[in-house]
Amino acid sequence: MTEITYGPGHFDGPDELPADYKNALLELLTFQADSEFMGGMRVQENLRFAPRPMEALRLAKKVKEEFGHGVYLWTLLDDLGLDTNKRVQAILQDPQADSPGNTKIINAFKYKNWSKVFTCWEDVAIFSLVVTPGAVAFLGQYKDSSYTPWASVSDRIFKEELGHLSFGEWAAKRVIEFDGEEGRAKLQKSVEKFLPIGLGFYGRDSKDSENFKLYHRFGLKPKQPEELKVVYLSIVKDRLAKVGLIYPENIQADYEMNIQ
Ligand SMILES: [Fe+2]
């Protein structure tokens, strides 16, 4: 028996989706939508570390765009019959809970994890330089989703995530410009702290995950984790070199902070 596979853009809307495909779609879409919005809440908390007005303004733009990513994806979930008002209210009213109102939040964006790893502005800059490339690689694949509405939204999200990567490069360069070698040393320490999260973002090897095999067949995760790793490493190494930071070898991925 051959297993069903769906290619890019196979379904153009919410009507008449096969039940097992719809379940998988809802699972992945709610995870991304809820986590994007919670990501905005988390970045908002980091505003307190901004050292200068321009840093505060540029980080605030990132907050708005992360809220936007949540909202664009929730719009798709409205069309699939979910009550997204409940989801946004739960997150806004209880942002320190692990999964407010049974929303689906990636581990890295849960308050108990996030609040432990961020201690200074250098962490904020390096998160966008070392973890955001994981999002760029991982979310970039959704442009080829078998669900066309998701592919369209992903195009916009991808462009804004690239902007967040540029924010990280700008913020890190400014740390060195204003704080010199002391600033560079702090940034380098942050690289070592955040690299395991970035490396874990796109998931375990495809052979290790049953969920992945199903999502891949359905065209909901079009790329293999191994392919995403190549993209991730090339972005991170390029950006670190541009800032004058070193890529530390022998750092292991932290899959527990990963998307799922
Ligand atoms: Fe985002």
Side-chain angles (χ1 to χ4, degrees):
M1 195 181 87
T2 51
E3 289 181 316
I4 296 169
T5 59
Y6 303 119
H10 188 93
F11 297 103
D12 60 8
D15 301 326
E16 292 170 30
L17 300 173
D20 51 356
Y21 176 86
K22 188 172 176 181
N23 286 342
L25 176 65
L26 284 173
E27 173 72 13
L28 288 177
L29 259 182
T30 49
F31 230 100
Q32 194 193 341
D34 297 348
S35 295
E36 292 271 13
F37 199 90
M38 186 62 102
M41 299 295 282
R42 290 289 95 90
V43 178
Q44 181 175 264
E45 290 159 12
N46 278 349
L47 275 168
R48 72 189 192 279
F49 296 121
R52 288 170 286 275
M54 203 48 79
E55 270 81 351
L57 182 64
R58 289 197 61 169
L59 192 62
K61 179 171 182 276
K62 183 179 168 183
V63 173
K64 184 212 160 218
E65 288 174 354
E66 295 300 358
F67 286 157
H69 300 172
V71 172
Y72 312 152
L73 294 158
W74 275 331
T75 303
L76 306 188
L77 286 162
D78 283 333
D79 295 341
L80 286 157
L82 255 68
D83 183 349
T84 58
N85 294 355
K86 270 194 188 144
R87 302 184 95 83
V88 72
Q89 288 166 23
I91 291 174
L92 289 168
Q93 289 164 19
D94 197 7
Q96 296 192 0
D98 282 357
S99 304
N102 290 325
T103 49
K104 294 180 181 159
I105 311 295
I106 62 169
N107 281 338
F109 291 174
K110 289 177 179 167
Y111 180 79
K112 66 179 178 197
N113 295 324
W114 182 276
S115 56
K116 257 188 285 185
V117 282
F118 284 88
T119 60
C120 56
W121 179 252
E122 288 76 13
D123 288 340
V124 178
I126 291 301
F127 179 85
S128 283
L129 205 65
V130 164
V131 181
T132 297
V136 166
F138 187 84
L139 302 177
Q141 70 177 321
Y142 293 153
K143 290 189 291 177
D144 295 319
S145 174
S146 56
Y147 191 62
T148 305
W150 195 358
S152 309
V153 162
S154 294
D155 208 35
R156 182 168 180 189
I157 292 177
F158 180 74
K159 286 188 186 116
E160 290 179 348
E161 292 294 346
L162 282 179
H164 300 169
L165 186 52
S166 300
F167 160 78
E169 186 181 327
W170 171 84
K173 282 179 173 165
R174 293 255 296 183
V175 167
I176 295 168
E177 184 189 331
F178 283 86
D179 303 336
E181 287 311 305
E182 199 184 315
R184 190 193 305 273
K186 281 190 190 163
L187 291 167
Q188 190 64 46
K189 261 184 96 175
S190 291
V191 170
E192 276 148 45
K193 182 160 65 173
F194 285 97
L195 197 55
I197 303 173
L199 282 166
F201 206 96
Y202 40 77
R204 292 179 168 83
D205 287 357
S206 52
K207 64 178 173 5
D208 298 336
S209 168
E210 283 307 312
N211 277 347
F212 172 79
K213 285 175 194 157
L214 181 72
Y215 295 142
H216 187 64
R217 246 186 346 98
F218 282 168
L220 292 170
K221 282 190 178 177
K223 297 256 167 64
Q224 304 282 344
E226 293 83 348
E227 295 173 71
L228 299 177
K229 184 174 183 176
V230 173
V231 177
Y232 173 78
L233 286 177
S234 80
I235 301 172
V236 169
K237 289 181 177 179
D238 173 62
R239 295 292 171 135
L240 286 176
K242 277 187 177 153
V243 176
L245 294 169
I246 295 160
Y247 176 85
E249 300 290 344
N250 302 324
I251 291 210
Q252 298 297 315
D254 177 357
Y255 294 113
E256 298 315 308
M257 300 282 258
N258 171 38
I259 202 154
Q260 66 176 168

